[in-house]
Amino acid sequence: MRAFRIAVAASPLVALLLAAGCASYRVGAESLYAFDVQTVYVPMIESFSFRRDLGERLTEAVVKEIELKTPFKVVNSPVADSVLTVTLLEDRRQTLAEDPFDQPRLLENDVVAQVSWVNQRRIQLAPPMAIPAPDGILPFRQGARLIPAAGQSVVQSQQEAIERLAEQIVSSMEEPW
């Protein structure tokens, strides 16, 4: 009888705890990403650069980064849960240091891209992240150093900049806190 009274007295507290526990909480890495998106379509990245294959290399790097670091599955159909559109605006190389004979000793490769991530209803998923940009298009810039004297090639430096840019693009797919 005493156990019954304790159970009756504790039942409002148990009901309150159960109601609070019914909220949908996500834990771990899954909580970093949109819960209503499972698939992402990444069309071939358009490049306004005069250097060959930068758009294709960036597309490959972005797809690999999404598959590696997010719970999303990249699909080859525009009828996905979301569409990640990237445009490579420019890439440039600037000299940071020269030797006494005006030969470049330290250069930097910069790549600049615009990114837009929308779901099927064309609602913006990625937040503007305090970067003033028109129509939800996010500009991203990434650079990589090039040291010719150390035997580094332009292609290696470009690939490093592309991989860093892909990491930056995919990290912008995380949910805001």
Side-chain angles (χ1 to χ4, degrees):
M1 188 57 131
R2 184 171 184 207
F4 178 74
R5 280 189 233 167
I6 292 174
V8 169
S11 63
L13 179 62
V14 171
L16 180 65
L17 288 174
L18 286 177
C22 290
S24 84
Y25 290 105
R26 298 177 296 153
V27 295
E30 298 292 323
S31 66
L32 296 175
Y33 301 98
F35 67 92
D36 59 341
V37 175
Q38 282 80 35
T39 58
V40 178
Y41 172 60
V42 182
M44 185 60 68
I45 294 174
E46 184 179 3
S47 175
F48 290 112
S49 169
F50 293 111
R51 290 181 182 34
R52 295 180 43 153
D53 301 331
L54 286 185
E56 290 85 354
R57 289 166 52 195
L58 182 57
T59 303
E60 181 182 358
V62 167
V63 168
K64 283 181 181 178
E65 196 73 16
I66 290 172
E67 291 282 339
L68 181 67
K69 295 192 177 165
T70 71
F72 307 135
K73 177 71 178 153
V74 177
V75 295
N76 195 19
S77 168
V79 190
D81 293 336
S82 64
V83 178
L84 180 69
T85 307
V86 180
T87 304
L88 189 60
L89 298 176
E90 65 178 298
D91 77 299
R92 63 185 129 150
R93 189 174 314 128
Q94 61 186 6
T95 302
L96 300 177
E98 296 177 341
D99 67 7
F101 303 106
D102 290 334
Q103 297 294 319
R105 298 317 246 168
L106 178 62
L107 299 106
E108 185 170 58
N109 278 323
D110 271 342
V111 287
V112 179
Q114 285 184 337
V115 178
S116 176
W117 187 35
V118 294
N119 67 11
Q120 281 186 324
R121 296 175 302 280
R122 300 300 181 238
I123 300 170
Q124 179 184 345
L125 289 173
M129 296 185 343
I131 300 172
D135 301 321
I137 297 175
L138 302 176
F140 290 93
R141 176 181 304 272
Q142 196 56 250
R145 297 288 163 98
L146 168 63
I147 307 171
Q152 186 180 16
S153 72
V154 173
V155 175
Q156 289 172 322
S157 177
Q158 284 177 340
Q159 189 63 32
E160 184 179 338
I162 285 171
E163 289 171 2
R164 287 180 182 175
L165 184 63
E167 287 177 14
Q168 187 178 11
I169 290 169
V170 172
S171 68
S172 75
M173 297 171 77
E174 293 180 3
E175 288 280 305
W177 285 77

